[in-house]
Amino acid sequence: MFSKDMGIDLGTANTLVYMKEKGIIVNEPSVVAINTQTKEVLAVGNEAKDMIGRTPGNIVAIRPMKDGVIADFDVTQAMLRYFINKAYVRSMFGPRPRIVICVPSGVTEVEKRAVLEAAIAAGSKDKDTYLIEEPMAASIGAGLPIADPTGSMVVDIGGGTSEVAVISLGGIVTSTSLRVAGDALDNAIVNFIKREFNLAIGDRTAEEIKITIGSAYPLEKEELMEIRGRDLISGLPKTIEITSIHIREALTEPVNSVIETIKQTLEATPPELAADIMELGITLTGGGALLRGLDRLISSETGMPVHIANEPLNCVAMGTGLVLEHIDKLKSVLISPRKALF
């Protein structure tokens, strides 16, 4: 009765927490600032993100999630504890929350166990901690008819992984997890500007460029942006002007990787379900869905209609929340907590 159930989208770039009957109550970057000498956690989330690239030698701002999986167990545990406590102040005698956490579809059993153990150590109850595959959560959050005997295709482009899956009758028929997503787009921009303009920029600047003038398909009116960085020849700060054409060229390789993965998944899809997808189209979720023109490019490459979900950034968290709200009906979509792992 007093249970504080929560769904957690533990993402490479951002962590979202959905609380039953309240909706999304935490949406912060998956970043932790640590004092390297004392191992003390100094800041988590927005506060820690502001420190990236601006810290003195004894403080590092790190992202403990890499490619959708835990890269640093202790730091992830500290981050999870912070987000769980932010969402829910537990009393000494109150119940522990029931938690559903998302994992990419391609993770190993060891990686699943690491996520479960981090959540349990951060304050959830052993038998009430569940995992759900990201494309399944994204499909539920996007409102796709996952329980029907029709094929639904979802492409979830997050920070660390892109998940492509075909879902029918409450199960994943075929799926591919690609470790090329938002971070890879940022890296492509950093490398392109270094190569073409001899200018070094940081990841935050690259992300800003991607959001402001990034596109996957020619724009009606190409855009300009002024950026600042360090000149690699003189070593001094320098300002240059770049266009959306430059950035589209920079993003060609990672975007093509995602499109190839979509094509491979379609090739592995049973013909009956492929016919359904032809009719219903492909649904894009995740932050990568907001890259301008990506839907048009995928549509022209695959010949399928492509739709962007409402609130693509929140789909996975909303999906975990909806599973919690209807856990008796949707329990079959969860990865059972302990049996699958031991």
Side-chain angles (χ1 to χ4, degrees), residues 14 27-29 31 44-51 82-83 86:
N14 294 292
N27 182 356
E28 292 198 33
V31 182
V44 179
N46 289 321
E47 210 182 316
K49 189 178 182 182
D50 291 340
M51 297 181 182
Y82 167 84
F83 289 131
K86 188 167 184 179

Side-chain angles (χ1 to χ4, degrees), residues 165-178:
V166 175
I167 293 166
S168 178
L169 288 169
I172 293 175
V173 179
T174 178
S175 72
T176 314
S177 183
L178 175 73

